[in-house]
C-alpha cells in the first residue's frame, strides 16, 4: 500500500482522536491547519514509522509536536510584536473558548488542567482526552509507564486541590 | 467535584464534549492527503534498517542449515495446516464517501469497509439473528482506474471462530453515486452467529476485497417481544430510550417491563414503555414499537417480563463486556 493511501486510511480512522486532542491541547476549535500538518508530517515520516507500532500513539505524538511548534512560533512572533509595540509581554496560553465546553464544572476542570505545570497537563490530556493507556502515554512522552502513573496521580491530586480552592473561593464571595 | 480518584478523573474527562472536523474540513484534508500521491516520503539512512537487513541475511543462511539438520529426525511429524479461511482479515474502517472535487455529495452517516475500494452503508451495529439491521444495505465500490464495475456482486461471510461460510447477498451493480464507481442496494441474510465475520466481495468469481466486522450477540427476547439491546451489551446501569418491538394485534398504548432479581428477592421493578409506532412487516406480521428506560441495579441473573411472558437475563458487571 502506498504511503498516501495508508495515511488516508489513518485519517479516516484517527481524525476524530487527533482533532479532539488538538482542540483541548490548544484550547481552540480552529485546529484544521494543525490536523493537516499532522498528517503531512506523518506522510513525510512514513518511512521511519515502525509498522508494528501503534498508529494512534504515533499520530498523537506528531500532533503534540505540531501544536507545540505552533505555540513556539506564536511565542516568538508575540515577543517581536511586544518589543515593536512596547507593550507588556503576554504569555501565550490556550484560550478557553466558551464553545468548547458545555457544563460549568467541566469548564472549571479544563481551566484547572490548563493551570497545571506542563508535564502534569501533558499527562492528563494524553490519558484523559486522547484516552491513551499508561504505556501508550509513556511512548508519546518518552517516559516509563511508572513515571506516567506517578505523574498522573500527582496531577490528579493537584487538580483536586485547585478545584477545592476555587469552590471555597466561590462560596466565600457567593 | 472534588477529591476524585485517578479513575474517577479519567471518567470525568471522558464527559468532555468530543470534537471532529466538519465534513468540508475533512474533504479538504482528504484532498490534501491525496495530493501526496505525486510526492515521495522522505527517505533517510536508518541504521536500524541495516541491522534488520543483516538479521534477515543471517536468518536466510541459518534456516536451511537448521532445517536440514532437523528434518531428518522428525520428518514424520511435519504437517501443514490450512487455516486461511478462518483467519481474520483487517477490520472494516469507518469513513465517509467524499466527492473528489468539491467535497459535496457527502453520504449521510458513515460507511464501513475499505476506503476508496468498498463501502457499506449499513446499521450502526451488526446483530446476530436480526433481520431488521441487515434489511437494507447499500454497497459502494471504487475502482483505481475509474473503470465501472459491472455484473453481479457476491458477498460472502465467514464466521472466523467456526469457519462457517454463508452467502449473505448477491447484488446487481449499477452506476456509481456519492463519488463511487458503482453501487448496489440489497439486504443481507441475517448473521447466524455472533463474533467476527470476514466479508468477501466477489465479481465474476474474482475477490475484489475483504474486511471484517464484529457481529454482536442477538437482541434480548421476551416471548413475542424483542428488547432492542444486544445481550452482550446488557450490564448493570441505566439504559435510556430503549426500543421494544412487540408482535401482535390490539396492543395497549403502554406496557410494563418488569425486572426481578431472584437472588436478592427484592420487589420487582416496573418500567413503563410507551407506544411510538405501529407497522406491518413485509411478511404481513403486525408490529408495535415501544420506547422506555431501564435500570439494571446490579449484575447477576434477572427475570425480565412483558405482556405476561418472561425470560431469564444475565446482567454483566459494568465494564465486563463490550
Amino acid at each position: 500500500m502506498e504511503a498516501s493511501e495508508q495515511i488516508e486510511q489513518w485519517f479516516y480512522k484517527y481524525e476524530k482522536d487527533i482533532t479532539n486532542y488538538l482542540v483541548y491541547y490548544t484550547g481552540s476549535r480552529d485546529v484544521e491547519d494543525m490536523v493537516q500538518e499532522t498528517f503531512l508530517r506523518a506522510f513525510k515520516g512514513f518511512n521511519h514509522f515502525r509498522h508494528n507500532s501503534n498508529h494512534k500513539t504515533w499520530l498523537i505524538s506528531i500532533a503534540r509536536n505540531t501544536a507545540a511548534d505552533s505555540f513556539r512560533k506564536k511565542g516568538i512572533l508575540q515577543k517581536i510584536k511586544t518589543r515593536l509595540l512596547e507593550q507588556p509581554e503576554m504569555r501565550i496560553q490556550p484560550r478557553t473558548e466558551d464553545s468548547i465546553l458545555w457544563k460549568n464544572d467541566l469548564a472549571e476542570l479544563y481551566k484547572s488542567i490548563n493551570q497545571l505545570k506542563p508535564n502534569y497537563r501533558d499527562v492528563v490530556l494524553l490519558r484523559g482526552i486522547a484516552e491513551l493507556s499508561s504505556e501508550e502515554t509513556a511512548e508519546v512522552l518518552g517516559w516509563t509507564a511508572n513515571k506516567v502513573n506517578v505523574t498522573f496521580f500527582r496531577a490528579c491530586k493537584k487538580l483536586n486541590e485547585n478545584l477545592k480552592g476555587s469552590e471555597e473561593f466561590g462560596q466565600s464571595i457567593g | 467535584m472534588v477529591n476524585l480518584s485517578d479513575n474517577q478523573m479519567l471518567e470525568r474527562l471522558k464527559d468532555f464534549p468530543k470534537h471532529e472536523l466538519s465534513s468540508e474540513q475533512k474533504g479538504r484534508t482528504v484532498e490534501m492527503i491525496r495530493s501526496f500521491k505525486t510526492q515521495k516520503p522522505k527517505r533517510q539512512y536508518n541504521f536500524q534498517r541495516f541491522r534488520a537487513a543483516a538479521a534477515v541475511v543471517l536468518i536466510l543462511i541459518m534456516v536451511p542449515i537448521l532445517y536440514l539438520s532437523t528434518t531428518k529426525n522428525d520428518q514424520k511429524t511435519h504437517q501443514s495446516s490450512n487455516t486461511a479461511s478462518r483467519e481474520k482479515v483487517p477490520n472494516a474502517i469507518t469513513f465517509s464517501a467524499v466527492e473528489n472535487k468539491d467535497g459535496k455529495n457527502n453520504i449521510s452517516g458513515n460507511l464501513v469497509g475499505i476506503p476508496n475500494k468498498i463501502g457499506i452503508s449499513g446499521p450502526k451495529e451488526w446483530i446476530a439473528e436480526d433481520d431488521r439491521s441487515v434489511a437494507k444495505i447499500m454497497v459502494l465500490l471504487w475502482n483505481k482506474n475509474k473503470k465501472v464495475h459491472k455484473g453481479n456482486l457476491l458477498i460472502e461471510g465467514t464466521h472466523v471462530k467456526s469457519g462457517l461460510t454463508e452467502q449473505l447477498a448477491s447484488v446487481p451493480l449499477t452506476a456509481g453515486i456519492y463519488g463511487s464507481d458503482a453501487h448496489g442496494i440489497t439486504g443481507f441474510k441475517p448473521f447466524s452467529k455472533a463474533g467476527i465475520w470476514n466479508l468477501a466481495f466477489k465479481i465474476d468469481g474474482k475477490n475484489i476485497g475483504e474486511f471484517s466486522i464484529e457481529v454482536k450477540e442477538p437482541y434480548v427476547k421476551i416471548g413475542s417481544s424483542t428488547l432492542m439491546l444486544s445481550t452482550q451489551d446488557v450490564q448493570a446501569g441505566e439504559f435510556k430510550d430503549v426500543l421494544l418491538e412487540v408482535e401482535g394485534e390490539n396492543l395497549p398504548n403502554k406496557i410494563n417491563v418488569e425486572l426481578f432479581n431472584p437472588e436478592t428477592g427484592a420487589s420487582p421493578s416496573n418500567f413503563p414503555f410507551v407506544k411510538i409506532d405501529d407497522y406491518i412487516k413485509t411478511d404481513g406480521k403486525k408490529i408495535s414499537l415501544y420506547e422506555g428506560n431501564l435500570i439494571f441495579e446490579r449484575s447477576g441473573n434477572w427475570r425480565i417480563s412483558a405482556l405476561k411472558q418472561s425470560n431469564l437475563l444475565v446482567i454483566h458487571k459494568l465494564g465486563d463486556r463490550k
Side-chain angles (χ1 to χ4, degrees):
Chain A
M1 188 183 286
E2 277 186 30
S4 64
E5 286 176 12
Q6 182 64 74
I7 299 292
E8 189 176 336
Q9 282 203 9
W10 287 345
F11 174 77
Y12 291 122
K13 200 170 176 186
Y14 300 115
E15 175 274 319
K16 287 179 189 170
D17 295 318
I18 303 298
T19 304
N20 198 46
Y21 173 71
L22 284 172
V23 165
Y24 287 104
Y25 188 95
T26 61
S28 165
R29 292 189 71 178
D30 183 18
V31 294
E32 184 188 356
D33 287 349
M34 282 189 204
V35 174
Q36 289 190 354
E37 178 67 19
T38 300
F39 284 93
L40 177 65
R41 288 186 185 193
F43 173 75
K44 286 180 177 169
F46 188 75
N47 287 329
H48 310 300
F49 175 63
R50 283 173 286 131
H51 289 270
N52 54 352
S53 302
N54 185 323
H55 310 146
K56 183 180 164 184
T57 309
W58 186 56
L59 291 169
I60 290 279
S61 298
I62 297 174
R64 180 173 164 269
N65 291 336
T66 305
D69 288 350
S70 167
F71 274 149
R72 268 195 287 276
K73 280 178 198 166
K74 278 183 189 170
I76 292 164
L77 286 174
Q78 186 65 34
K79 276 181 187 169
I80 295 167
K81 205 174 159 186
T82 341
R83 287 239 175 116
L84 288 172
L85 299 174
E86 292 181 352
Q87 282 177 349
E89 190 173 331
M90 285 170 64
R91 190 178 156 216
I92 294 198
Q93 278 190 323
R95 284 171 288 136
T96 313
E97 291 185 0
D98 292 340
S99 52
I100 295 179
L101 300 164
W102 294 337
K103 295 176 187 171
N104 275 342
D105 57 342
L106 291 181
E108 199 59 47
L109 177 56
Y110 183 58
K111 195 177 152 192
S112 296
I113 291 169
N114 285 328
Q115 286 166 351
L116 292 173
K117 62 180 189 179
N119 60 343
Y120 283 10
R121 182 174 180 271
D122 253 340
V123 88
V124 168
L125 291 181
L126 289 168
R127 293 281 284 118
I129 299 295
E131 296 183 17
L132 299 183
S133 65
S134 303
E135 289 74 21
E136 289 167 337
T137 305
E139 208 179 315
V140 173
L141 297 172
W143 296 355
T144 62
N146 189 41
K147 184 176 175 184
V148 169
N149 288 334
V150 170
T151 310
F152 185 64
F153 173 79
R154 289 175 182 161
C156 287
K157 200 176 160 192
K158 186 71 187 162
L159 279 176
N160 280 319
E161 283 170 17
N162 289 352
L163 291 167
K164 198 176 176 186
S166 63
E167 269 186 16
E168 282 169 1
F169 177 71
Q171 282 166 2
S172 68
I173 61 166
Chain B
M1 192 177 59
V2 289
N3 292 327
L4 299 176
S5 69
D6 295 17
N7 287 335
Q8 284 170 328
M9 188 64 77
L10 285 176
E11 285 302 312
R12 200 76 189 97
L13 290 166
K14 280 183 188 168
D15 292 340
F16 275 35
K18 304 283 183 208
H19 298 273
E20 61 180 293
L21 296 181
S22 67
S23 296
E24 278 185 4
Q25 290 173 323
K26 282 181 191 172
R28 280 199 292 268
T29 310
V30 168
E31 281 299 300
M32 185 205 72
I33 293 170
R34 285 179 184 167
S35 71
F36 295 163
K37 276 187 182 170
T38 53
Q39 306 166 24
K40 289 270 176 205
K42 279 187 182 173
R43 197 176 283 273
Q44 289 176 1
Y45 286 111
N46 184 336
F47 288 104
Q48 278 187 337
R49 289 169 71 99
F50 286 116
R51 276 186 217 151
V56 169
V57 170
L58 195 65
I59 288 166
L60 287 173
I61 295 166
M62 293 298 289
V63 163
I65 297 167
L66 290 170
Y67 178 76
L68 287 172
S69 63
T70 53
T71 43
K72 282 180 187 171
N73 297 328
D74 57 6
Q75 271 180 342
K76 285 177 189 173
T77 61
H78 181 72
Q79 283 183 334
S80 67
S81 60
N82 179 12
T83 55
S85 63
R86 295 184 190 186
E87 275 175 17
K88 181 180 169 296
V89 295
N91 287 341
I93 291 169
T94 303
F95 64 102
S96 301
V98 180
E99 185 72 52
N100 277 342
K101 289 179 183 172
D102 52 9
K104 287 179 184 172
N105 290 340
N106 275 1
I107 192 166
S108 56
N110 287 323
L111 296 170
V112 292
I114 308 169
N116 293 324
K117 205 168 186 184
I118 302 165
I120 289 182
S121 170
K124 280 186 182 171
E125 51 185 16
W126 304 91
I127 305 287
E129 299 172 14
D130 180 53
D131 55 359
R132 307 166 196 80
S133 55
V134 290
K136 194 174 181 185
I137 305 276
M138 181 160 66
V139 186
L140 283 83
L141 302 178
W142 285 263
N143 188 303
K144 268 188 179 175
N145 308 320
K146 289 286 158 197
K147 188 182 159 194
V148 177
H149 288 295
K150 283 181 183 171
N152 227 41
L153 173 72
L154 195 74
I155 305 169
E156 266 181 13
T158 300
H159 184 250
V160 171
K161 197 172 177 184
S162 65
L164 170 76
T165 298
E166 290 179 337
Q167 183 180 318
L168 300 174
S170 174
V171 199
L173 293 171
T174 55
I177 53 169
Y178 301 116
S180 69
D181 300 309
H183 90 288
I185 294 174
T186 183
F188 279 4
K189 178 186 173 190
F191 292 97
S192 53
K193 290 169 185 284
I196 303 295
W197 284 75
N198 290 343
L199 304 188
F201 296 76
K202 296 176 181 177
I203 297 176
D204 298 330
K206 191 185 165 197
N207 195 335
I208 60 163
E210 280 181 286
F211 57 83
S212 64
I213 57 167
E214 189 202 347
V215 176
K216 290 187 172 181
E217 286 170 18
Y219 287 135
V220 176
K221 299 262 186 212
I222 319 166
S224 58
S225 308
T226 305
L227 192 67
M228 291 169 86
L229 264 181
S230 165
T231 47
Q232 79 180 65
D233 289 334
V234 179
Q235 56 185 13
E238 186 177 5
F239 291 82
K240 287 191 171 175
D241 306 327
V242 182
L243 295 174
L244 180 77
E245 194 190 80
V246 187
E247 194 183 310
E249 291 181 46
N250 302 321
L251 292 164
N253 286 328
K254 194 172 92 173
I255 58 178
N256 276 322
V257 172
E258 185 189 275
L259 288 174
F260 174 66
N261 187 336
E263 290 163 3
T264 62
S267 304
S269 307
N270 282 289
F271 299 90
F273 274 63
V274 180
K275 194 193 275 187
I276 54 170
D277 202 7
D278 283 314
Y279 55 90
I280 299 170
K281 276 188 165 180
T282 47
D283 57 7
K285 286 177 183 167
K286 291 190 174 177
I287 303 290
S288 293
L289 197 62
Y290 294 80
E291 191 178 56
N293 302 331
L294 280 173
I295 299 172
F296 299 106
E297 284 165 7
R298 55 193 296 168
S299 58
N301 296 315
W302 288 69
R303 191 188 68 203
I304 184 164
S305 313
L307 295 168
K308 295 179 183 173
Q309 293 174 311
S310 60
N311 197 1
L312 282 175
L313 186 60
V314 179
I315 310 293
H316 308 291
K317 278 184 186 166
L318 189 66
D320 261 9
R321 306 283 297 262
K322 280 191 176 179

